[in-house]
Amino acid sequence: MSSLIDTLTSLTEEDVRHFLDRYRSLGPLPGMLLTFMKSFVPPLPTLIIVGVNAAVYGLWLGFLYSWLGMIAGCMTTFFIFRRIGEHRYARKWAAKPRVQRSMVWIQRNAFGYVFLLSLFPVGPFVVINIAAALARMPLRSFLIAILFGKAVMVMSVSMIGYDVERFMQEPARLLYVVLFVLISFVVSKRIEAWFTRESAAPGTES
């Protein structure tokens, strides 16, 4: 098992291209599998995998496959640890004052916490999903945050990976990526706020 993890974490661009070419007959599954595994093997090189997906499948299909794989991985770990969080040992651990303070902070800032950290192509993906699950973050809010956060991150990396030379020649194009991130954050916050009002409405009337 350790040798498999070592192999996955040391993947190069050539390795990813070879893997995708070798299993091209399986359609989008190889590209989706690699990004799905990111939620279970954190050191996997996200930049390389997402960039090569865009180069091999094309910008839009590469984006779609990488995005779907990541969302599936995030949701899987979220559900696993939400279930584990119901275990008595997990509840006992969560009852510790220091853990409680962390959980309260995450609960208050859950959406922004998940969304903003999802924007980074390198980072503690597994920790984000686990923390959100154990803090009992609403499924709807978690899903909206990762849908938008991962979409922004994957699209940004896909655009760069699809046409690296152009971005190197015109670095000012990165400003469009930054603008895209800011607009996505505002839009996703508005959607999350709308869903929150909708779900709170029945309780308010009663």
Side-chain angles (χ1 to χ4, degrees):
M1 183 66 178
S2 60
S3 60
L4 175 60
I5 294 177
D6 289 340
T7 301
L8 291 173
T9 56
S10 60
L11 287 175
T12 64
E13 182 177 344
E14 289 284 323
D15 295 329
V16 176
R17 283 182 179 275
H18 177 71
F19 176 80
L20 296 179
D21 288 337
R22 182 176 181 182
Y23 297 101
R24 184 176 288 273
S25 60
L26 297 177
L29 292 180
M32 293 173 65
L33 176 63
L34 288 175
T35 50
F36 174 84
M37 289 298 296
K38 179 65 184 177
S39 291
F40 299 91
V41 186
L44 273 173
T46 309
L47 288 169
I48 292 176
I49 293 172
V50 174
V52 173
N53 270 352
V56 171
Y57 294 109
L59 176 60
W60 293 106
L61 285 180
F63 158 76
L64 180 63
Y65 300 157
S66 295
W67 182 59
L68 290 177
M70 284 196 175
I71 297 301
C74 289
M75 294 305 297
T76 300
T77 52
F78 181 81
F79 283 124
I80 288 174
F81 282 93
R82 170 160 284 191
R83 186 65 180 269
I84 291 175
E86 297 173 359
H87 194 279
R88 61 191 180 95
Y89 290 114
R91 289 199 298 269
K92 184 178 179 180
W93 173 79
K96 295 180 179 180
R98 187 173 181 180
V99 177
Q100 277 288 308
R101 287 195 295 271
S102 300
M103 290 298 178
V104 168
W105 184 88
I106 293 173
Q107 288 165 353
R108 288 176 179 172
N109 304 277
F111 185 85
Y113 168 81
V114 173
F115 178 86
L116 290 174
L117 292 182
S118 293
L119 294 176
F120 297 97
V122 292
F125 287 13
V126 182
V127 174
I128 297 168
N129 301 334
I130 293 174
L134 295 181
R136 310 301 297 176
M137 181 179 178
L139 174 61
R140 182 182 290 170
S141 294
F142 179 75
L143 182 59
I144 294 173
I146 62 169
L147 283 175
F148 277 86
K150 297 299 183 188
V152 173
M153 184 271 285
V154 173
M155 175 54 74
S156 302
V157 177
S158 295
M159 288 172 63
I160 296 172
Y162 180 71
D163 198 355
V164 179
E165 293 184 3
R166 190 170 183 181
F167 273 90
M168 292 179 67
Q169 294 170 0
E170 304 174 40
R173 292 174 63 87
L174 290 173
L175 292 176
Y176 293 109
V177 176
V178 174
L179 183 62
F180 179 50
V181 170
L182 293 175
I183 292 174
S184 298
F185 179 69
V186 173
V187 171
S188 59
K189 281 292 288 183
R190 289 183 179 275
I191 292 175
E192 194 260 350
W194 182 80
F195 274 120
T196 301
R197 287 197 302 271
E198 287 291 306
S199 59
T204 305
E205 295 176 356
S206 58

